[in-house]
Each structure stands twice: as structure tokens, then as C-alpha cells.
């Protein structure tokens, strides 16, 4: 969560870009190919990516030379990346444009220790940063104490999980939600989170090694118990790597580390693929659920209650267990020219960023209506964007990109 000093990402202030250049088409293909010495057989994550990615006689994945060459033109050497080149965050090599997302799988990078030690991005706000005379802002809500979600998380919140990623500051973590895919009903591989959980905004680019873990720590083990937990206990439904991500253009261009810049457009969609091939089932089939997304952006007076869910990681929380807050939302305006945000009272801290906000949809069923974006340095409330046309454009673009796959 960003303290209204958003600690991570913001997108460009224009329409969502949907075009893809030939070079980036190759990049997108390579992002689905596992970068391991024992890359995959027919059941692997990249097996269905393209018939041009073939298996050599020894069973190892072989990336065609022409694709390797085109990736190198874009500054990406597959072998060097696997061996640690991804740790180079020099500005000239940090891809930032909307169509430049790459995220090659590095098997077993996200082991239990690395997941447990991931830190929350700093996306907090000083009260003094909030403009008092722009747009419409309701009085600051009373804090609502977050309640622990009972384990198993899969039984009580099957669409919730964690997003892990690497940034120049180190290993980071956010929260996220499995959402429906209109192009692949019942078989979604789409995850909703905050823009600042995938992209650094106006002063940076795409984060790396982005992966989603549904029902992280499903049994609700303590931090001490997790020190000896197996990967299967920490990630019982697998590790799912992002093979594509998209956020708003406004977040890329405006998002910043102070003042809530870009927060009204702080949302993102990640398309994922299993780290080790899985059993052929989609993410939705694997976890047994996916939420619809309501883009009608209901006005605050029409929303009786919202439930925000996530894995808060800043004190007094430790990021290992799932919490939720329920409250009637108010309005928060950071800029008169930007859409007014939802705001609720909630004690959750950073780490809950990107977690879903769920309300009753038009059909009377639960639907995603927002995600955690920012909160104050001292905690006590959370704010999230209203999901309108820009959000729908991002969502539809990701869905259409993988239609029929």
C-alpha cells in the first residue's frame, strides 16, 4: 500500500495502449518460457506458448536463435538474465513502456524463505499531502480494526493471494485477487492488483520476477512456523508467473512516491502461467473461484459496504496471514481532474496493497469494485480507485490478448 506517498507505480496519462511491435511479440513469447537448466517438457508453462519453442533431444527447452537475437536487440540476453542479469536496474535498461513487459520464469526463485522475507512497497501518505479544496473528500473515517481471515484461506477467501516481485529496492510483496476472464469463461488466468505492484511509475519501469501465489500460507501458520514450512505448505496451489501485465497509462506517466500521484489509476491486471507446467488447469480451475469485476463504478452513496482483503506486512502485522476490513466507503479526492477514490476505515498496513475490494454487484453477487492503493503513514484508513472505463480498457486488453489460448 502506498502511504500517500505512493511508494511505487503510476501509469501514463493517455489511453491504454494495445498495440505490440514485432520485437515485443517475441519478448512476450520468451516471457512464457521457463529459464531453467532443466526447462520443461510438454506439460511445462511454456509448452503451449508457440510451436516455435521446441524441446531438444535431451528434453530441455530450446529457444529458437531468431527469437534470442530479437530479444538481444531489446537488451535481453536469456542466459544472462537467468544467471542474474535481471538484477541490473540501470535506467537505460529498465523497460518501462506499456508494451515492454517481460517476465521470464526462473524456476524455484520464489522459495519459502524468499517469499517470507519479501517487504511491502512504501505507498503511504502524509496528511499534509492531501489537498483540502479539490474535488470532494468526506471526513476521515474512523479506524476499523482488521479481522483475521479464518484458515483455511482457500475455504474462506479462495480468490485472494500474494504477488511477489523484485524492485531496485529489493524483494517486494503485494496482495491480489483472481478475477474472471470474459474471453475464457471458467478458465481464467487473470489476477487483479495495484499498478504500483507491477510498475514503478514515472521514474521507473516494470518490476521483475512477478509471481502470484494463491492462498499463500493457506493454513495460517505463524511466522515462526513458516521458517520450517515446505514450499507446498506456503504455496499449496502453486506459484504462477506473470506472462503479461498491464496497468493504466496514467499510472506509468503519473505514478510516484509522494502525494498519491496516479492513485486514481493505480490498478493492474496480470495474466499468469504455472511455474512448472501444472496439470493443464487454469488458475480459476485450480483455486475453484474467480470474481467478476464491476466497472460501473457505483457512486459512494450507493455502496452500503465494502470488504477489503489483503496480507498487511508493515507493523503491527508481519505479512504472513490474511486479514480483511468491512466498512461503508466515503470519498477521497486527490486531484480535481482525477476520479474520486473510495476510502474506508481500516487498520491494515502496507503489504495489503493491490488486495481486492469486494461489494455486492448488480446481480446481488460479490464483485470486485476496487483495490487497495494508498493509506496514511500512521494507518487507519485505505483508499482505492473507482473502476471505470480506463480500468475496463486494461482488463479487456489482457483478456483479448489471450483469447482462445
Amino acid at each position: 500500500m502506498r502511504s500517500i506517498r505512493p511508494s511505487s507505480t503510476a501509469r501514463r496519462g493517455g489511453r491504454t495502449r494495445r498495440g505490440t511491435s514485432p520485437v515485443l511479440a517475441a519478448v512476450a513469447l520468451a516471457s512464457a518460457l521457463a529459464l531453467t537448466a532443466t526447462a520443461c517438457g510438454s506439460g511445462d508453462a511454456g509448452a503451449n506458448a508457440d510451436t516455435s519453442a521446441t524441446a531438444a533431444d535431451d528434453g530441455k527447452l530450446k529457444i529458437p536463435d531468431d527469437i534470442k537475437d530479437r530479444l538481444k536487440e531489446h537488451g535481453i540476453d536469456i542466459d544472462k538474465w537467468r544467471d542474474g542479469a535481471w538484477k541490473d536496474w540501470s535506467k537505460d535498461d529498465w523497460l518501462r513502456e506499456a508494451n515492454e513487459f517481460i517476465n521470464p520464469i526462473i524456476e524455484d526463485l520464489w522459495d519459502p524463505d524468499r517469499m517470507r522475507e519479501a517487504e511491502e512497497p512504501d505507498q503511504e501518505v502524509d496528511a499534509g499531502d492531501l489537498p483540502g479544496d479539490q474535488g470532494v473528500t468526506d471526513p476521515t473515517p474512523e479506524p476499523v480494526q482488521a479481522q483475521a481471515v479464518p484458515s483455511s484461506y482457500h475455504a474462506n477467501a479462495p480468490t485472494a493471494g500474494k504477488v511477489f516481485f523484485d524492485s531496485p529496492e529489493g524483494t517486494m510483496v503485494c496482495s491480489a485477487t483472481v478475477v474472471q476472464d470474459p474471453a475464457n469463461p471458467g478458465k481464467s488466468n487473470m489476477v487483479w492488483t495495484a499498478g504500483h505492484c507491477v510498475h514503478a511509475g514515472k521514474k521507473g519501469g516494470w518490476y521483475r520476477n512477478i509471481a502470484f501465489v494463491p492462498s499463500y500460507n493457506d493454513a495460517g501458520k505463524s511466522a515462526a512456523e513458516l521458517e520450517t514450512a515446505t514450499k507446498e505448505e506456503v504455496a499449496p496451489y502453486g506459484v504462477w508467473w506473470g506472462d503479461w501485465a498491464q496497468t493504466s497509462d496514467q499510472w506509468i506517466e503519473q505514478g510516484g512516491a509522494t502525494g498519491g500521484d496516479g492513485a486514481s489509476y493505480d490498478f493492474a491486471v496480470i495474466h499468469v502461467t504455472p511455474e512448472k507446467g501444472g496439470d493443464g488447469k487454469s488458475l480459476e480451475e485450480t483455486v475453484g473461484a474467480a470474481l467478476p469485476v464491476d466497472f460501473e463504478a457505483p457512486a459512494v452513496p450507493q455502496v452500503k459496504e465494502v470488504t477489503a482483503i489483503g496480507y498487511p506486512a508493515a507493523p503491527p502485522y508481519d505479512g504472513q496471514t490474511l486479514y480483511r476490513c468491512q466498512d461503508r466507503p466515503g470519498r477521497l479526492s486527490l486531484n480535481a481532474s482525477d476520479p474520486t477514490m473510495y476510502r474506508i476505515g481500516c487498520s491494515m498496513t502496507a503489504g495489503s496493497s493491490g488486495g481486492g475490494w469486494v461489494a455486492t454487484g448488480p446481480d446481488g453477487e460479490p464483485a470486485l469494485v476496487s483495490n487497495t492503493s494508498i493509506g496514511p503513514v500512521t494507518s487507519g484508513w485505505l483508499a482505492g480507485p473507482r473502476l471505470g472505463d480506463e480500468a475496463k480498457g486494461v482488463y479487456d486488453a489482457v483478456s483479448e490478448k489471450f483469447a482462445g489460448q
Side-chain angles (χ1 to χ4, degrees):
M1 170 188 67
R2 306 177 311 143
S3 40
I4 287 186
R5 222 180 259 127
S7 74
S8 273
T9 108
R11 267 231 191 211
R12 314 201 149 210
R15 294 184 177 274
T16 302
R17 294 190 181 91
R18 301 193 185 188
T20 305
S21 70
V23 169
L24 294 178
V27 171
L29 167 61
S31 72
L33 305 180
L35 299 186
T36 61
T38 57
C40 342
S42 60
D44 187 52
N48 297 323
D50 194 290
T51 54
S52 63
T54 58
D57 293 339
D58 59 3
K60 296 180 181 179
L61 193 68
K62 183 178 180 180
I63 301 173
D65 290 339
D66 64 324
I67 292 179
K68 278 191 176 183
D69 291 343
R70 290 162 75 186
L71 289 172
K72 286 182 179 179
E73 288 175 14
H74 211 67
I76 306 299
D77 184 298
I78 289 293
D79 296 324
K80 289 181 179 179
W81 187 275
R82 175 197 60 203
D83 293 336
W86 63 264
K87 298 176 184 178
D88 180 4
W89 294 94
S90 58
K91 193 168 184 179
D92 290 343
D93 297 327
W94 193 2
L95 303 181
R96 62 167 273 105
E97 299 301 325
N99 59 356
E100 290 182 337
F101 178 79
I102 67 159
N103 194 50
I105 295 171
I106 304 175
E107 284 190 12
D108 297 320
L109 176 70
W110 292 110
D111 59 27
D113 288 341
R114 204 163 189 270
M115 285 190 273
R116 189 179 67 252
E117 294 168 1
E119 298 181 358
E120 69 284 353
D122 175 21
Q123 294 293 80
E124 298 166 345
V125 183
D126 282 332
D129 290 335
L130 293 174
D133 57 352
Q134 292 180 322
V136 179
T137 294
D138 292 321
T140 301
E142 291 295 321
V144 172
Q145 186 61 42
Q147 300 298 309
V149 175
S151 57
S152 87
Y153 299 153
H154 180 255
N156 292 292
T159 60
K162 275 192 172 191
V163 168
F164 296 94
F165 58 96
D166 282 298
S167 78
E169 289 74 37
T171 300
M172 299 291 177
V173 64
C174 281
S175 301
T177 305
V178 183
V179 294
Q180 294 178 0
D181 179 357
N184 294 285
K187 297 183 178 182
S188 175
N189 285 307
M190 290 169 56
V191 174
W192 192 282
T193 190
H196 75 259
C197 299
V198 298
H199 193 288
K202 60 186 175 184
K203 293 185 178 180
W206 294 102
Y207 293 129
R208 297 171 182 170
N209 303 322
I210 297 173
F212 175 67
V213 176
S215 298
Y216 172 84
N217 185 24
D218 183 51
K221 292 178 179 289
S222 67
E225 292 172 322
L226 286 174
E227 290 182 5
T228 57
T230 65
K231 189 170 183 177
E232 288 69 27
E233 291 174 313
V234 172
Y237 297 93
V239 176
W240 298 70
W241 282 66
D243 54 6
W244 190 253
Q246 198 153 334
T247 182
S248 68
D249 283 346
Q250 290 88 340
W251 178 252
I252 290 178
E253 287 196 348
Q254 302 171 16
T258 59
D261 294 345
S264 294
Y265 299 96
D266 186 14
F267 44 76
V269 177
I270 308 169
H271 189 277
V272 298
T273 190
E275 179 178 87
K276 297 188 177 181
D279 55 7
K281 292 183 178 179
S282 66
L283 175 61
E284 181 178 359
E285 292 170 305
T286 299
V287 303
L291 282 175
V293 185
D294 184 0
F295 295 105
E296 292 303 313
V300 165
Q302 299 171 351
V303 183
K304 294 182 179 180
E305 187 176 69
V306 167
T307 299
I309 192 165
Y311 287 84
Y317 306 98
D318 61 13
Q320 306 308 315
T321 47
L322 189 63
Y323 284 81
R324 60 188 169 202
C325 287
Q326 290 182 326
D327 194 19
R328 184 162 191 157
R331 294 165 291 185
L332 175 65
S333 176
L334 299 175
N335 188 313
S337 63
D338 289 338
T340 300
M341 301 176 72
Y342 295 125
R343 180 164 64 163
I344 62 171
C346 185
S347 66
M348 286 198 292
T349 58
S352 60
S353 280
W357 289 31
V358 181
T360 301
D363 60 358
E365 297 297 320
L368 186 85
V369 297
S370 186
N371 57 263
T372 297
S373 171
I374 55 175
V377 175
T378 56
S379 77
W381 56 263
L382 302 175
R386 292 175 64 186
L387 306 181
D389 290 344
E390 289 289 342
K392 190 174 189 303
V394 169
Y395 176 79
D396 287 345
V398 176
S399 176
E400 291 165 9
K401 184 178 182 67
F402 292 89
Q405 295 186 29

